[in-house]
Amino acid sequence: MRSRTPVAWPTEVLKLTPLLLAAVLAGWNAPALAIGPTVVAPQYHRAGDLIAASEFVPLSQASQQMARGQYGKALIPLIETVERNPVSVLGLYHLGNTYFELARQTDLPEQQAVYLNQAQQAFERVANLNNELTLVYFRLGKIALLKNDPQAAKRYYQQGILVDAKNAALIFNLARVHDQLGERTEAIRYYQQTLSVDPAFVFAYNNMGLLYEDLRDYQKAEAAYQQALKRDSNYNLARLNLGNLYAVLGQYQRSEKFLNDAQRLEPENEWVYYYLGNLWLRQGAYQDAVSAYSRALEINPKHATTYYLLAVSLTRLKRMDEALQASLNYVQLEPNGEYARELKSLILSVKLSQGHGERFQLKPMKTGP
């Protein structure tokens, strides 16, 4: 399994000087609007962006509560703000962020859906009032992805790029949506466009390398990972993917070097041991593979594919009772997973053969392109 880079977030910094001056002139003694964990629009030149005097107190209360992570309490003054001024961009933006954070915090799917819908409505109202705020399109795109609607996310990111054609993070997120949808050519095009805007955007090199691997263009994949490491020698995700690529190509010594380097940088990264396990398994070093997969599962005991590969390695060593346990763990995590049928057959075979000396072998794992 290969990890892709998380969604990139914008780097805009809030300019609250107009609000701070207004607060001072109004004789407001409470702390002036704390930025908290969210950011708002840097533009206040449109009529819809003006802050009415009646908004100061509730916005101050809400901002302080958000800064403390008390999003539920922040809702009341934010709703009051928007009721007093339905075209308050600042109030609507904070309201959308508050609903968004509440959606992330709840474990109840139905409640999360309600919060996400409320957040989406607030951000869309902001976009209607001021369509130049790229931060809103980041949020709307993320909400669409959380609602499992990548097509909507694609539209939001495209709208944001129309506003700011040189925003590397927006272009990168659009590339990731194309990537998620399996639209490889478009994804590569937008990753390349990201790099034309910001050549140091190493995440784009890494994800482009994965796409080239999918297309079996291993030379371009290698070049992409190497470029990422050239830009940032500590970018371990590209190092892991490059090490895995060399293992796929049968260049085992180069693979081991890169994976060992990755281990030194991140000794608690489960993927280091997952890829090392794959490397040893490809070479038939089954005991080393068992050790690597076991270490990966110590770090993350809920990764089903690691249990499958552990079962493969243990079967090669004829340690059938342990292979049985690894298989049971996989089936428990992924009862309908890619390897479930295969492992269910192994479980049945081992149970039938116990005490009779019979053995069951899993089908060989692919060891090359």
Side-chain angles (χ1 to χ4, degrees), residues 19-265:
L19 293 181
L20 298 175
L21 291 175
V24 172
L25 292 173
W28 186 21
N29 294 323
L33 288 175
I35 295 177
T38 58
V39 289
V40 298
Q43 299 152 315
Y44 294 93
H45 61 280
R46 295 190 177 206
D49 299 340
L50 297 179
I51 306 301
S54 61
E55 296 176 59
F56 286 157
V57 173
L59 274 177
S60 173
Q61 294 173 349
S63 190
Q64 292 175 44
Q65 288 160 342
M66 287 187 292
R68 293 191 292 266
Q70 299 172 339
Y71 296 102
K73 291 183 179 180
L75 273 181
I76 295 175
L78 286 172
I79 292 173
E80 179 184 349
T81 299
V82 174
E83 287 177 346
R84 290 181 180 184
N85 181 8
V87 294
S88 170
V89 169
L90 185 60
L92 285 166
Y93 186 87
H94 275 312
L95 183 62
N97 267 323
T98 298
Y99 279 124
F100 180 81
E101 293 298 334
L102 288 171
R104 293 176 61 185
Q105 291 176 6
T106 183
D107 294 326
L108 303 174
E110 292 182 1
Q111 187 62 61
Q112 184 186 62
V114 171
Y115 286 144
L116 288 176
N117 285 335
Q118 295 282 9
Q120 181 177 348
Q121 291 173 20
F123 287 129
E124 285 181 342
R125 288 173 65 184
V126 173
N128 289 333
L129 290 166
N130 188 338
N131 62 6
E132 297 180 2
L133 308 178
T134 56
L135 290 169
V136 173
Y137 300 110
F138 279 100
R139 281 298 199 205
L140 285 168
K142 179 64 174 178
I143 289 169
L145 291 174
L146 290 172
K147 295 171 71 173
N148 197 28
D149 190 354
Q151 293 293 348
K154 187 194 300 186
R155 290 193 297 272
Y156 287 128
Y157 292 137
Q158 288 170 337
Q159 290 172 17
I161 291 170
L162 289 176
V163 174
D164 184 0
K166 297 296 185 181
N167 191 312
L170 270 174
I171 301 168
F172 174 82
N173 282 351
L174 178 57
R176 287 191 74 253
V177 175
H178 282 292
D179 195 341
Q180 180 180 335
L181 291 169
E183 299 166 356
R184 294 169 177 165
T185 302
E186 286 297 288
I188 289 174
R189 181 166 75 88
Y190 282 110
Y191 284 135
Q192 290 173 335
Q193 186 175 333
T194 301
L195 293 166
S196 70
V197 173
D198 182 0
F201 210 113
V202 293
F203 309 131
Y205 284 117
N206 177 76
N207 289 6
M208 200 158 54
L210 291 173
L211 285 170
Y212 283 131
E213 277 199 68
D214 291 341
L215 296 170
R216 300 199 173 203
D217 192 336
Y218 300 118
Q219 186 174 357
K220 287 185 178 179
E222 179 184 9
Y225 297 139
Q226 292 281 16
Q227 278 295 320
L229 291 172
K230 182 179 180 181
R231 294 284 179 177
D232 182 357
S233 61
N234 291 320
Y235 185 38
N236 223 23
L237 188 56
R239 182 173 284 102
L240 284 169
N241 285 329
L242 184 57
N244 183 64
L245 173 63
Y246 287 138
V248 169
L249 296 175
Q251 299 178 25
Y252 297 134
Q253 288 185 341
R254 299 184 75 181
S255 174
E256 184 176 355
K257 176 187 179 302
F258 277 92
L259 295 179
N260 285 337
D261 288 344
Q263 183 183 10
R264 280 191 287 274
L265 282 173

Side-chain angles (χ1 to χ4, degrees), residues 304-320:
T305 305
T306 307
Y307 284 111
Y308 167 73
L309 295 170
L310 178 60
V312 171
S313 304
L314 290 166
T315 302
R316 299 290 193 272
L317 294 169
K318 302 189 182 302
R319 291 160 57 176
M320 303 310 295

